[in-house]
Amino acid sequence: GVSPEAAGLLRLMSPDIDLTGYANPDIISLSFQHWYRYDDCGGDPSFLPDGHIVEISVDGGPYTQITPDGGYPYVLDDICDNPLANLPAYSQNSGDMFVEATADLSMYVGSVIKLAWTVGLDCGNCDPQQMLYLDDVSVTRSLP
């Protein structure tokens, strides 16, 4: 888990995931459980200063954001230097429980990838109990 307390980025990264042995029409899927809580400074559901996204690095390249199935539920506010400002993200809280997310990674067949869960924070945190926990992360292959 990641327990952030200051402005900036925190990134929890996977090891390399080798997809070079696969070819289309193989379907590669990511699934994971995440439990998160970010400050809302007193329960304001429109205040979205902090949150996390899922990113991918392909063949050693830079990390870029991927979109989970169904998209992200929020767009982060541009407040006080959050490096993820204005990006779609997970924010607020997951209802004090683990929730599942999935994403299609089929377009990366033939590459070596690395996944990251990246937390972006503004400079002021009202809630010192912010957190992100991940569990049951899997990348699976299936045929259409």
Side-chain angles (χ1 to χ4, degrees):
V2 174
S3 185
E5 294 186 13
L9 280 181
L10 297 169
R11 195 176 261 146
L12 185 60
M13 297 175 287
S14 75
D16 285 347
I17 301 167
D18 189 349
L19 303 178
T20 58
Y22 305 107
N24 291 326
D26 290 346
I27 298 169
I28 307 296
S29 301
L30 165 67
S31 69
F32 61 93
Q33 300 281 330
H34 56 163
W35 180 352
Y36 52 91
R37 182 175 62 217
Y38 298 104
D39 68 9
D40 58 10
C41 291
D44 182 351
S46 67
F47 187 60
L48 305 167
D50 304 319
H52 71 279
I53 63 173
V54 183
E55 295 183 298
I56 191 166
S57 169
V58 181
D59 295 325
Y63 281 97
T64 58
Q65 185 175 12
I66 61 173
T67 301
D69 298 333
Y72 290 97
Y74 300 102
V75 174
L76 295 182
D77 292 332
D78 188 357
I79 295 175
C80 195
D81 302 324
N82 182 338
L84 300 182
N86 300 312
L87 291 179
Y90 295 104
S91 188
Q92 296 283 337
N93 71 70
S94 61
D96 291 328
M97 63 184 170
F98 279 98
V99 293
E100 184 175 33
T102 58
D104 182 4
L105 301 180
S106 299
M107 68 187 76
Y108 305 107
V109 163
S111 300
V112 175
I113 64 170
K114 188 176 277 198
L115 299 168
W117 287 262
T118 303
V119 176
L121 304 165
D122 70 343
C123 66
N125 294 305
C126 304
D127 182 356
Q129 298 299 315
Q130 297 188 87
M131 63 185 174
L132 167 62
Y133 294 103
L134 295 172
D135 201 4
D136 300 331
V137 176
S138 66
V139 175
T140 57
R141 170 189 172 252
S142 59
L143 296 173

